[in-house]
Amino acid sequence: MAGHSAVRRVVSLVPSLTEAVAAGAPELLVGATDWCEHPAGLDVVRIGGTKNPDLGRIAALAPDLVIANEEENRAPDLGALRAAGLEVLVTEVRSLDQAFRELERVLVRGCGLARPGWLGDAEDAWRDVTAPGPPRRAVVPVWRRPWMVLGRDTFAGDVLARLGVVNIHAGHGERYPRIPLEELNACGADLVVLPDEPYRFSADDGPEAFPGLPSALVSGRHLTWYGPSLTRAPQVLGAALAAAGR
């Protein structure tokens, strides 16, 4: 992996990692996806989406390092970047503890930065989390038309579990299964958790599909992003979940 003396130009294919690098060293970033919305006003070349990046534009930026994720980015794209002679660091994030390890790998070992203070703050914030009451069994949609929910082995599922929310579909064979709405309403949940990304669920779009079930409208960034937002995620998500019980 490239060391600190070599890494001066970074392209990020992951919004979470873009924000993580920009929090301490925005000058390293020369390219990021169209979905990299944090921090606001980031002045870099936009290279397309996470699933359809402009590989030629990335190569033209001559980055010392491309940072990616095995879930958000497609293996053929990453292989093509490597074939073009670029260094590609691919993360895997399926739990909170793994997120902390991967963030340190990207920022310290990958980009050659000092370990950021916010990463320690995030670890402290989550270390102090305790579930407020008995576990709540939840359906967690991430898309509709068709309906897709959190299944097994997901970062967001682990985050919710630490806040006392049990994902009913955590034992499903797929990570993001498609399940008909009638089955979701018949699965015995006592809560539906509706994030505002990747699908933008809102008070007017989502809760009506689950009549009689409390709905927690939560920040998708705080539920699914691994970066500086982790410092406030327990507070933000906890408040949204508590409001759904009122």
Side-chain angles (χ1 to χ4, degrees):
M1 179 54 59
H4 178 63
S5 62
V7 176
R8 291 292 182 268
R9 300 174 63 80
V10 174
V11 169
S12 173
L13 304 182
V14 185
S16 296
L17 298 179
T18 299
E19 184 180 25
V21 174
E27 70 280 0
L28 289 186
L29 289 165
V30 295
T33 75
D34 299 342
W35 302 109
C36 294
E37 299 175 345
H38 296 275
L42 182 66
D43 185 17
V44 297
V45 174
R46 299 296 173 164
I47 49 76
T50 57
K51 298 289 193 284
N52 58 345
D54 187 326
L55 303 182
R57 182 173 292 182
I58 294 171
L61 289 171
D64 303 310
L65 182 65
V66 178
I67 50 180
N69 176 263
E70 52 88 30
E71 177 178 54
E72 295 201 45
N73 309 119
R74 300 187 315 139
D77 292 332
L78 303 182
L81 292 173
R82 289 192 176 102
L86 301 181
E87 184 83 32
V88 182
L89 188 162
V90 182
T91 58
E92 178 185 275
V93 177
R94 301 191 180 190
S95 70
L96 188 62
D97 290 339
Q98 192 176 29
F100 290 140
R101 293 194 300 270
E102 290 288 67
L103 283 165
E104 181 163 351
R105 183 165 74 98
V106 168
L107 298 173
V108 179
R109 289 157 49 194
C111 296
L113 303 173
R115 194 176 197 273
W118 62 258
L119 185 52
D121 292 342
E123 290 172 326
D124 290 342
W126 281 99
R127 188 178 298 115
D128 294 338
V129 167
T130 56
R136 304 171 75 181
R137 290 166 48 82
V139 169
V140 191
V142 293
W143 202 258
R144 68 182 301 175
R145 305 182 192 95
W147 286 95
M148 299 174 66
V149 299
L150 290 186
R152 64 171 180 83
D153 195 24
T154 67
F155 170 76
D158 185 47
V159 165
L160 289 172
R162 293 166 186 263
L163 295 168
V165 176
V166 177
N167 174 20
I168 271 186
H169 297 97
H172 196 282
E174 299 178 25
R175 297 185 67 215
Y176 300 98
R178 297 184 181 189
I179 299 179
L181 182 60
E182 56 271 21
E183 291 185 27
L184 296 180
N185 273 301
C187 69
D190 50 38
L191 176 71
V192 57
V193 177
L194 297 168
D196 60 11
E197 62 176 83
Y199 185 91
R200 192 174 294 277
F201 288 107
S202 68
D204 300 319
D205 186 355
E208 80 290 343
F210 300 89
L213 201 59
S215 297
L217 295 166
V218 303
S219 162
R221 177 167 169 255
H222 290 93
L223 178 62
T224 65
W225 287 40
Y226 34 91
S229 58
L230 285 173
T231 59
R232 295 193 64 243
Q235 175 186 354
V236 172
L237 295 173
L241 293 169
R246 294 171 187 161

